[in-house]
Amino acid sequence: MADEIDNLQLSFETLRGTEHAKNRLIEDLLKRLRILSQELEQEKLDHDRESHFNREVQLRVKELKDELRLVRTRTERDAFILVLIDGDGMIFEDTLIQSGESGGREAAGILWASVRDYVQQIMPDLSSDYKIVTRVYANLKGLGDVCTRAGILDSPTVMEDFTRGFTGSKQLFDFIDVGSGKDRADDKVSELFKLFVYNSHCKHIIFGCSHDNGYARLLEDIAGQAMPSQITLLEGVPFERELAMMKSRYLFTRFDNLFRSTKINIYQPQYQQPQQIRPPPMSQPQSMPHMVPAQMSSLHVLHSSNLHNGMSEGLPVAQVASPVQQPQQTGYQSPYYPSMTRTPSESTNNSMMNPMAASWATKAVSAPPPQIASPPPTPQPANLENANKIPRNKFGQRIDPTIQYDKNEVKRVQKIHMCNVHFLRRDCPYGDDCTHDHFYKPNKNELMTLRFVARQTPCHFGSACDDIKCIYGHR
């Protein structure tokens, strides 16, 4: 009996331990359930928040896509190609200009068709409804006068007829007269270029500037900011040295039968421009014998401050001596010496600017104008001492000393429009009538920068120049 009681007691203890383990398990399960329920609630909240955020993002994405589609539609609808040309150097073909107004219309048509063909090659995916905006800036009066003196036109008014036909042929084609003055066309072309180079509607710029190294600085300034594939350099006359070095970084092309490939030669027909002027002999000049006016004729060159980019740098000027015997000549006259007025007299018969012609003609009215058949003589040095002071290389070619310069300072000095000849030579031929500033007071550094600016214009006599005061470049 006692054994049975012990067994029952043992079973009870075992059962009670089991119940305790069961209760502990149930308590653990309830605790775990409570924790999971809290986590579930948190996940539900997070899910609801994410769902709300996703809906807002989806709505915003949809709105942005609609706005982007609208912007693209507007951009493509107003897309245009800008043709920007410096007309002082990029000069249209002679036959087009000579045709006057009809030639202007023909030039505009050729330009429009050439641009369409070129854009189709480089941008085949561009919508075909783009526009072509063309701006040509030039000193119209100066260009007409030079073409007339060169024998291309019979009258400067033909150039006005040409521009009228060019502008009137297309709604977005404009040939704009900037008037006389240094760098006026350059400044307008540069500012318009900078205005449109970042314009999203402007899909491409065709830039006619092959004649002027100054535009190389403009292209350097925007390098790295604008895509080179958005710019094409248009060639008329061969690219100047600095621009030729940049051809590998930009697209370039030329339009046949539209622009001149050579600069205008404003030498008179009876003279042929010398290909190379050799250094003059260093011997002392001999005394002049008695000669008639036709035998005493000589040529000097007056450098022009306008239209120098697309045409020859000098204008031949015949000076007729008096028929009496002259004293011994010891040197040649400076090409910058004020020996003539700005506007040629009618007595020059539209062939030469000769300030002596009117006075000499009144003394010999019956005598016909002398016919000069020989080319202009090589300039003689002012004297041996000055000639020996000019630095030359071992081949006897003149070289220019190196000038240190700052690009920003060069741009600033150019905008002042100081007269190079007045400040560097002190003998400006135009005096008070000069269109450039004679009253500015430059400091030493500004004068050095101005000398660098003047040197960008090549000297007419090149490396053979013996003028010790010459301010132009000898390369």
Side-chain angles (χ1 to χ4, degrees):
M1 186 67 179
D3 293 337
E4 291 179 358
I5 294 174
D6 293 337
N7 290 334
L8 290 174
Q9 183 66 35
L10 180 62
S11 297
F12 173 73
E13 294 293 338
T14 302
L15 182 60
R16 186 172 62 180
T18 302
E19 287 295 327
H20 180 71
K22 181 186 69 174
N23 291 337
R24 188 170 58 190
L25 176 61
I26 292 173
E27 290 177 356
D28 291 341
L29 291 175
L30 291 174
K31 184 178 180 180
R32 179 63 178 167
L33 178 61
R34 190 177 296 110
I35 293 174
L36 290 176
S37 297
Q38 294 176 351
E39 291 179 351
L40 177 60
E41 290 299 324
Q42 185 64 39
E43 290 295 330
K44 286 182 178 179
L45 291 175
D46 293 343
H47 179 269
D48 292 341
R49 184 175 64 254
E50 293 295 332
S51 297
H52 179 71
F53 177 76
N54 288 339
R55 282 195 296 272
E56 289 184 347
V57 170
Q58 289 174 353
L59 291 174
R60 181 58 178 164
V61 168
K62 185 177 183 301
E63 291 176 359
L64 292 176
K65 286 183 177 179
D66 292 340
E67 290 179 6
L68 180 60
R69 189 179 302 109
L70 180 60
V71 169
R72 285 179 175 175
T73 301
R74 290 177 178 176
T75 303
E76 294 299 329
R77 183 175 57 197
D78 296 327
F80 66 90
I81 304 297
L82 176 63
V83 182
L84 194 55
I85 298 173
D86 185 341
D88 282 346
M90 294 283 293
I91 303 174
F92 289 91
E93 284 284 359
D94 296 353
T95 54
L96 296 174
I97 299 177
Q98 290 166 354
S99 299
E101 189 168 342
S102 62
R105 290 193 295 267
E106 182 181 356
I110 295 175
L111 179 59
W112 187 88
S114 300
V115 171
R116 294 284 296 189
D117 293 341
Y118 178 70
V119 171
Q120 179 61 31
Q121 295 176 12
I122 63 172
M123 305 176 68
D125 298 331
L126 183 63
S127 176
S128 60
D129 60 348
Y130 66 87
K131 300 177 177 63
I132 300 176
V133 179
T134 300
R135 296 288 183 272
V136 184
Y137 293 93
N139 174 6
L140 192 57
K141 182 179 183 303
L143 184 59
D145 289 342
V146 169
C147 289
T148 302
R149 290 201 299 268
I152 298 174
L153 300 179
D154 295 331
S155 170
T157 58
V158 179
M159 180 60 68
E160 298 178 4
D161 297 337
F162 173 84
T163 58
R164 190 181 304 111
F166 184 90
T167 302
S169 63
K170 305 286 182 183
Q171 292 181 345
L172 298 177
F173 277 43
D174 292 309
F175 199 121
I176 302 169
D177 180 17
V178 300
S180 61
K182 183 179 180 182
D183 295 336
R184 287 195 178 182
D186 302 38
D187 292 342
K188 288 184 177 292
V189 168
S190 299
E191 290 302 317
L192 200 65
F193 179 88
K194 289 185 284 188
L195 177 65
F196 284 103
V197 71
Y198 304 113
N199 190 313
S200 60
H201 295 278
C202 182
K203 301 303 180 181
H204 201 79
I205 296 179
I206 300 177
F207 195 21
C209 62
S210 64
H211 60 282
D212 192 347
N213 273 325
Y215 292 113
R217 260 72 71 190
L218 174 64
L219 295 172
E220 287 175 355
D221 290 342
I222 60 112
Q225 303 178 26
M227 295 179 60
S229 60
Q230 293 179 334
I231 302 170
T232 292
L233 304 182
L234 179 60
E235 184 177 17
V237 297
F239 284 103
E240 292 293 333
R241 181 175 58 87
E242 294 183 35
L243 288 171
M245 295 172 61
M246 305 183 71
K247 288 172 62 177
S248 60
R249 295 156 56 183
Y250 294 92
L251 301 174
F252 65 93
T253 186
R254 67 175 299 115
F255 297 152
D256 295 331
N257 303 320
L258 187 59
F259 296 102
R260 290 179 59 97
S261 59
T262 58
K263 296 182 179 181
I264 291 181
N265 179 9
I266 55 177
Y267 276 81
Q268 298 304 318
Q270 62 265 40
Y271 296 102
Q272 294 186 1
Q273 188 172 6
Q275 299 298 322
Q276 181 177 1
I277 301 179
R278 299 182 179 180
M282 307 303 293
S283 59
Q284 292 291 339
Q286 301 297 324
S287 60
M288 287 187 179
H290 180 73
M291 303 174 72
V292 297
Q295 294 171 320
M296 292 288 294
S297 297
S298 61
L299 286 180
H300 299 291
V301 177
L302 175 63
H303 283 251
S304 172
S305 62
N306 295 325
L307 297 168
H308 65 279
N309 291 327
M311 55 207 69
S312 300
E313 296 292 340
L315 173 66
V317 179
Q319 291 189 333
V320 183
S322 60
V324 298
Q325 183 172 352
Q326 299 294 328
Q328 175 179 336
Q329 300 293 326
T330 59
Y332 79 105
Q333 180 184 349
S334 165
Y336 318 97
Y337 191 81
S339 61
M340 62 193 68
T341 59
R342 181 184 297 271
T343 305
S345 169
E346 292 183 2
S347 63
T348 58
N349 200 22
N350 292 326
S351 63
M352 295 184 180
M353 294 176 60
N354 183 2
M356 300 290 293
S359 60
W360 187 81
T362 56
K363 298 179 180 180
V365 177
S366 60
Q371 299 296 324
I372 305 174
S374 60
T378 302
Q380 298 296 322
N383 54 61
L384 289 174
E385 181 180 357
N386 288 342
N388 291 332
K389 291 180 180 180
I390 297 175
R392 296 185 181 275
N393 59 21
K394 63 181 181 180
F395 302 106
Q397 298 170 326
R398 179 169 180 165
I399 56 177
D400 294 321
T402 302
I403 297 179
Q404 300 295 331
Y405 68 95
D406 178 79
K407 292 182 180 179
N408 294 328
E409 182 67 10
V410 170
K411 293 179 181 178
R412 187 186 69 82
V413 170
Q414 286 177 329
K415 291 180 180 179
I416 299 175
H417 297 293
M418 288 185 283
C419 177
N420 299 345
V421 179
H422 173 75
F423 286 104
L424 300 179
R425 292 185 59 98
R426 296 295 178 183
D427 58 358
C428 176
Y430 300 138
D432 295 337
D433 295 329
C434 184
T435 59
H436 295 77
D437 193 347
H438 282 202
F439 301 100
Y440 184 80
K441 296 182 179 179
N443 57 36
K444 181 178 179 181
N445 291 334
E446 288 175 329
L447 283 176
M448 185 62 66
T449 303
L450 183 64
R451 188 170 296 279
F452 173 79
V453 172
R455 193 177 289 179
Q456 303 310 300
T457 300
C459 175
H460 172 73
F461 297 116
S463 60
C465 177
D466 279 310
D467 183 2
I468 195 171
K469 295 176 61 179
C470 183
I471 63 176
Y472 295 104
H474 306 88
R475 289 186 270 187

